[in-house]
């Protein structure tokens, strides 16, 4: 299927200044992310940025990039601006790939895009959890699905809650119990992407600090592609950057 990957990339980063331009094996990180996207079979890859330095770095490496406003409240709003400027058709599928995921599996992008269908304007990904600490970690977002593989709810809480097993112990996970961890990769139909910025923020979204709950609260379905294992972690800290640099040096 045809899909466009848009990569939001802001220069400002509290924990890792100038993160999109960090060198990975001789190329800026945002360029490495675009290369991963290119391997997914996407028909077009565009970086969405609010800074001229990122625009110049992309141009130097043959990566298409577009400038956006600097006041967008989220990356979703930023890619919506670029999708509109590109003149994409309403039924075009747009994948939102974060600019700090230089090790993302290209096949995951294609799988996520493939979950968009008539009546299902948004998709994301998840993988089973097996580590008890992650299951109870509020920084690890969980999702529960219906029988069609669509999201019922996202939460920082441990969902589904295994009532009987957790009444006995929370030190080990019961057999056959594998909650799904949400992976922050999204795909949208362009028509829905353009409508998204106009959706009123939802109370649930504000309570959990999870933007995707706005979509469910307004009644739109989200399809979820479940992959067997966790993708490599993105780059948020200097320690993450050092780990990824070792991958590109090997």
């Amino acid at each position: 299927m045809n899909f466009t990957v848009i990569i939001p990339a802001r220069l400002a980063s509290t924990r890792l200044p100038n993160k999109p331009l960090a060198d990975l094996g001789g190329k800026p990180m945002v360029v490495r992310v675009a290369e991963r996207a290119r391997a997914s079979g996407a028909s077009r890859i565009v970086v969405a940025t609010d800074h001229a330095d990122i625009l110049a770095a992309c141009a130097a490496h043959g990566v298409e990039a577009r400038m956006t406003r600097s006041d967008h409240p989220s990356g979703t709003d930023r890619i919506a601006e670029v999708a509109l400027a590109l003149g994409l058709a309403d039924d075009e599928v747009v994948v939102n790939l974060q600019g700090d995921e230089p090790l993302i599996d290209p096949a995951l992008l294609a799988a996520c895009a493939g979950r968009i269908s008539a009546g299902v304007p948004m998709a994301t990904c998840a993988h089973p959890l097996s580590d008890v600490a992650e299951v109870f970690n509020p920084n690890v977002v969980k999702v529960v699905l219906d029988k069609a593989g669509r999201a019922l709810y996202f939460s920082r809480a441990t969902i589904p809650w295994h009532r009987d097993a957790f009444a006995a112990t929370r030190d080990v996970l019961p057999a056959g119990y594998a909650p799904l961890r949400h992976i922050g990769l999204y795909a949208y139909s362009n028509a829905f992407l353009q409508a998204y910025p106009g959706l009123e923020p939802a109370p649930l979204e504000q309570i959990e600090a999870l933007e995707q709950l706005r979509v469910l609260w307004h009644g739109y379905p989200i399809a979820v592609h479940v992959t067997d294992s966790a993708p490599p972690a993105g780059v948020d800290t200097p320690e993450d950057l050092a780990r990824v640099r070792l991958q590109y040096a090997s």
Side-chain angles (χ1 to χ4, degrees), residues 220-239:
Y220 294 96
I222 301 176
V224 181
H225 169 74
V226 179
T227 185
D228 292 336
S229 57
V235 177
D236 288 320
T237 66
E239 293 76 17

Side-chain angles (χ1 to χ4, degrees), residues 137-154:
N137 183 349
N139 294 317
V140 176
V141 178
K142 276 71 71 173
V143 59
V144 291
L145 311 182
D146 66 12
K147 68 178 183 179
R150 299 175 184 176
L152 289 170
Y153 192 65
F154 297 85

Side-chain angles (χ1 to χ4, degrees), residues 123-162:
T124 190
C125 301
H127 73 86
L129 285 171
S130 58
D131 183 272
V132 68
E134 290 188 330
V135 169
F136 290 100
N137 183 349
N139 294 317
V140 176
V141 178
K142 276 71 71 173
V143 59
V144 291
L145 311 182
D146 66 12
K147 68 178 183 179
R150 299 175 184 176
L152 289 170
Y153 192 65
F154 297 85
S155 183
R156 298 180 182 279
T158 304
I159 56 173
W161 182 261
H162 203 301

Side-chain angles (χ1 to χ4, degrees), residues 43-64:
S43 56
R44 192 172 188 179
I45 298 98
V46 184
V47 171
T49 184
D50 62 353
H51 203 284
D53 287 354
I54 295 176
L55 194 73
C58 289
H61 292 276
V63 174
E64 184 178 1

